[in-house]
Amino acid sequence: MSERKGTFKVEFLKDIEKNVQAKWDELKVFEVEAPEDGSKGTSDEKYLVTFPYPYMNGRLHLGHTFTISKCEFAVGFQRLKGKKCLFPFGFHVSGMPIKACADKIAREMKMFGNPPIFPVEEETIPEVVEREEFVIKDKSKGKKSKATAKQGAGKYQWQIMKSLGMTDLEIAQFGSTDHWLEYFPPLCMEDCKRMGLHVDWRRSFITTDVSPFYDSFVRWQFTRLKERNKIKFGKRYTIFSPLDGQPCMDHDRASGEGVGPQEYTLVKMKVVGEMKGKLAKLKGEKVFLVAATLRPETMYGQTNCWVRPDMKYVAVRLASKEVWVCTARAARNMAYQGFMATEEVVDTVMELVGQDIMGLALSAPLAHYKKIYTLPMLTIKEDKGTGVVTSVPSDSPDDWAALRDLINKQPLREKFGVTDEMVLPFQPVPIIDIPGYGDLAAVTVVDQLKIQSQNDKDKLAEAKEMVYMKGFYEGVMAVGDHKGKSVQDAKPLIRTELLSEGLAVVYKEPEKMVMSRSGEECVVSLCDQWYIDYGEEEWRALTQQAVDQLNTFTDEVKKNFNSTLDWLKEHACSRTYGLGSKLPWDESWLIESLSDSTIYMSYYTVAHLLQGGTLKGTGPNALSITADQMTPEVWDYILLAGPAPKTTIPMASLDKMKREFEYWYPLDLRVSGKDLVPNHLTYAVYNHVAMWPESKDKWIQGIRANGHLLLNSEKMSKSTGNFMTLTDAIDAFSADGMRLALADSGDSVEDANFVSGTADAAILRLYTLVEWVKEVLADKTLRDGEDTFHDKVFGNEMHLKLKETGDNYEKLLFKEALKTGFFEMQGVRDKYRELCGEMGMSKSLLLRYLEVQAIMLSPICPHVCEHVWSLLGKEGIILNAAWPVAGVVDMTVIQQSEYLMEATRDFRLKLKNLANAKPKKGAAPTLATPPTHATVYVAKCYPAWQCVVLDTLREMYKGDKNTVVDNKAVSVEMGKKPEVKKFMKKVMPFVAFMKEKVALSDLSVLDTSLPWDEMKVLSENISYIVTTLGLEGVDLALSSDLGEKGEDCRPGAPIIAFRTEPSVTLQLTNNQPFTGLFNTACPILQGDTVKNITRRLARMERNIKEGTPVSLYRWTDPVMGPRTMPDMKTPLAGLTQVMEEETFNITLEKNIVNLGDLTLEQGLIFRVGQENAA
């Protein structure tokens, strides 16, 4: 961000914000209660909006703020619509992150001292390799880890905290989880208050069992979910952290958010024949090389097995006593999936490298060749699969390119000790017939793309996508028991057969690398756990109904929800490490952080009655209730309309809480990042359905998902320094300046962009708005009286923008609301000011404009608008104002104004072209004399032949502008019309012109005349036309006066002809000191008046401001006057003022100007400003 020249304006806005916020606090503006009458809030009466409570391991950044702003703008608008609005705000501390960070701090102090002195380590760059299985990707899942994006510079947690500006003394305290819970939530609340959020802070809380009322609520939810058979126990595959000893869910990860288990078919290839070298020790044992594949149907086409010569492998003994060869990473995953004799322990028999197992003879399941061999491939990935890869060159471009290289290059075979018999006899085996590629698809595509070797990585990637996608969706099996079946049908059948015959097993590993916040790579574990049974048939069907009725505001978000419902299954909801609430029926488990945050929006409705004004809720509260009194039966009564519970809580208190819930629920709007659709947001919909299965009126009504926020077109990152916290943004731009830039950042699910330049410009715009309001209120020259044409236009355009802005706010299109409700509103005002000119603006209209402008902008910039409201002398606060009622918009008046602006724009362009016109070739250059006058020609209707064309086109469009009107058909029709035969050369160009106008507008452009008087509009605005063109006068005439030349003039498209009237130049002298004005040679036209000349003078002299009076004087004694020494004390001595009614005459032959009988040989004196005669 470039350095700002000064901070006065931003400090001016911050002072306004401080004063306005103090006023709001005093009035408790955002504290709201349900009505005492017990009424249920309808969508027309109340509005409940929430933002996913942010995780409290740092201050809020601009990305958080962007999403929060959507809630803020929505609730600000709905409040103006007369609804009771509630925007509560909690703080999330459940899960592993805070616990893991606190433990890291404590561990670093223990290992390296306090403050710690860390060892210096050289950075290593991992080798990049590229051989991997092709996966049909699920595009609904996220591509990047949000946690990774958040992480700043520094390997150690202490260094990360240091990058936040903390001292060593402060960081040491973060070794305790309690300090995290006490430190960040109050800072977050303070920052949000500085932003001016419309939040009822009485309802705020932090999660986990340190907040006993919220803990009671979560335990009640889980008790009921288990009773309803939504929570189950058993062995399930899950991403697991061995170091933490528990499942590692999204919120527990340092990287790999959104990554799940990937299931492979692990094909067992038995070593046959002699084992040499290190493997000789395994003589007599059953040894298998195991390969993880996603394409078991291709096993018929195996010609060899790939291993990487330099990769490390291990031979491990399984519980079955078999010895499997794979990478250590794969063996580690297997140890957590029940393969080993001792759970979670890898029984390593020996360590190997790929060259140790090169040339091994194998028996591969289903393979055409009874014996195949291990061969070298250098691009196998170590972090994917087992490091052992099956080779099917008929259907894998990578395999064919590598095998072909070995067949064609003897030195390559010799390098890795591979004999000819291991390679040369093996040719691709036809196994799948693919339309367009045949039964050797990989061979065909490799030839088509002219791939020379296995090093053509880009072309091989293209070939792989071509073959795999088409093969999966269109391929037909050409061999085996399932010959003739489609690949999609045969694949699961072949896999089942391999598994049932013991030729393969199920193996899983993370789709991508997942790192826990404890700093360890995670595995997939088959472990005992409590899980929520998402995807259960009946539950899913009911949830589909909830998604169907859900307002997602965009089709893409709805599509993502439906996609998530298709694949979402069981979700582990328990853990043993971290912070959180304990499972009510087994307190050795904690509730996972994505599972305790699904219906907490309902807790907000009663939180202010329980929390007692504190985040932990451990003090006295409004109802004098303790947490142990909040039994499941009490929560049933409040939230599920259950029977009256047996409790010591007074019935009046129970009813008050129930009344709050019944009024505020359902949740009207949830705003979140789009990356939460596949997890948190879908879980929330599922859980609302589970808790209120019979009460659809309690299901979430709207969810708006937005993209991530870029900062100045780049991803926000602490490590690169392109990062900004909420408090930094307010310091730099003020709250309202930042809010305006956030609104302008974007509305779609694509990534938005916060631009510092926009925020800087917002500061200037808002400051200018306040100053202009002051100027208007102090302006004594504003006009009263009847409305003029421009007043009517201004009023109608104001109402139009009001309607458009209201529609944009309703649709949560805040960038558009800012555009129509502020930027375009200012444009409407500026146009009105320009058009009024000397006539002046209407006082009543301007005051109405200021009121409407303040209200329309207040959801986005409430502080400045509140200040403007007070300047206008309005009662109360603007937040309690009513959204203005838009009057009936007279579109005819607006069309007339648009016509006027378009016509004058066209006139100015023609005038400019005239001034820049070059002489024709061969002609002598002429001195351009600026035009002084013009005639505007107007067409009442089109010429007769054009009317025929227009009527014919209208018939051919058949009422739909999207109808394809063929030019040949038009030409044929025109040939039948006797009225146009004379003009056939002009017909088709005219047709093309009108078709283009229809495409850009609508069928109304085919009307043969305008529905209003074009001549009248121009006549009423002659003064504006003259002024904007800088002319002396403009005449109006009908296009019929031009004869055939007038055919270019059409209704709504006048033409203009400029001319220059003769003039004589007269010297005008200013005798005032310090004005910057001296002598001016001013042209005088026949019949000029003082008004004409002073207006012309003002155009010529920039130092004469618009609206400033100018007076003209002549010498009383035309002979001696000019020769008399001027006296500055009596500047008007010897001068006579030229009166308005006097007329100037010119004699061109003598080049003189006469005023009556007086010849003005010595010119005139002009003075600027109000004068008193001496």
Side-chain angles (χ1 to χ4, degrees), residues 95-138:
M96 282 183 55
I98 287 176
K99 175 66 173 167
C101 289
D103 288 354
K104 283 182 183 178
I105 293 287
R107 191 161 56 244
E108 288 165 10
M109 287 191 290
K110 184 176 181 181
M111 294 175 63
F112 305 113
N114 181 12
I117 300 174
F118 297 112
V120 178
E121 296 183 8
E122 291 185 6
E123 182 180 3
T124 58
I125 302 175
E127 181 182 4
V128 179
V129 286
E130 299 186 2
R131 176 62 158 92
E132 63 174 316
E133 289 268 7
F134 182 84
V135 183
I136 306 296
K137 295 181 180 178
D138 183 350

Side-chain angles (χ1 to χ4, degrees), residues 302-314:
Q302 295 176 84
T303 58
N304 61 280
C305 166
W306 301 115
V307 294
R308 201 173 97 196
D310 61 341
M311 184 183 287
K312 293 180 180 180
Y313 293 85
V314 291

